[in-house]
């Protein structure tokens, strides 16, 4: 949950400083000199986003941010990107932004052997 809240605080900080809210600037703000071009490239490559592109609001478009946080954790800890627990990230998002767009709005659940779309 702390990562989600830190990402939102960073977005607000950049808005007040008239700085672009992009992956490159987030990593530079969070890690300073440790955020080398190689680290930035690796994070961008893992989350399949470009470093200079403006990021949307975390509370409105959470999937891009979930992939970003997943990539940051993978690069910083050395854990495989695919082994990062998505349920934990989704749960933390729901706690950090309780009244925001749900991450898994398009997912389907099985009920009585048939698929039904969940509407929230």
């Amino acid at each position: 949950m702390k990562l989600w809240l830190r990402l939102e605080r960073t977005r607000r900080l950049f808005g007040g400083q008239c700085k672009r809210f992009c992956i490159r600037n987030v990593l530079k703000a969070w890690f300073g000199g440790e955020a080398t071009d190689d680290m930035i490239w690796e994070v961008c490559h893992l989350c399949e986003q470009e470093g200079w592109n403006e990021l949307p609001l975390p509370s409105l478009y959470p999937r891009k941010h979930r992939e970003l946080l997943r990539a940051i954790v993978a690069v910083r800890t050395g854990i495989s990107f695919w082994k990062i627990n998505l349920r934990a990230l989704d749960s933390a998002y729901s706690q950090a932004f309780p009244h925001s767009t749900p991450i898994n709005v398009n997912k389907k659940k099985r009920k009585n052997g048939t698929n039904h779309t969940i509407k929230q």
Side-chain angles (χ1 to χ4, degrees), residues 36-50:
T36 63
D37 287 341
D38 290 337
M39 177 191 177
I40 293 167
W41 180 88
E42 191 172 356
V43 168
C44 291
H45 178 72
L46 285 173
C47 68
E48 297 179 353
Q49 298 179 55
E50 295 181 18

Side-chain angles (χ1 to χ4, degrees), residues 10-70:
T10 303
R11 183 192 66 78
R12 290 182 185 177
L13 175 70
F14 287 173
Q17 295 175 346
C18 297
K19 285 178 82 174
R20 179 186 296 266
F21 180 56
C22 64
I23 294 173
R24 177 174 281 282
N25 286 342
V26 168
L27 293 175
K28 293 275 186 187
W30 286 13
F31 302 112
E34 292 179 46
T36 63
D37 287 341
D38 290 337
M39 177 191 177
I40 293 167
W41 180 88
E42 191 172 356
V43 168
C44 291
H45 178 72
L46 285 173
C47 68
E48 297 179 353
Q49 298 179 55
E50 295 181 18
W52 286 112
N53 286 354
E54 188 84 24
L55 292 168
L57 293 171
S59 58
L60 291 178
Y61 300 97
R63 286 189 183 191
K64 285 187 174 190
H65 298 284
R66 177 180 70 180
E67 295 305 306
L68 170 61
L69 294 177
R70 187 176 172 196

Side-chain angles (χ1 to χ4, degrees), residues 84-120:
I84 304 294
N85 188 340
L86 289 179
R87 286 188 179 157
L89 279 173
D90 294 352
S91 174
Y93 169 80
S94 297
Q95 291 173 7
F97 303 107
H99 303 292
S100 299
T101 305
I103 283 184
N104 296 319
V105 135
N106 297 327
K107 281 201 171 180
K108 295 181 179 183
K109 282 193 174 180
R110 288 191 168 245
K111 183 177 180 181
N112 299 330
T114 60
N115 285 339
H116 296 280
T117 303
I118 298 172
K119 293 185 179 178
Q120 294 180 350

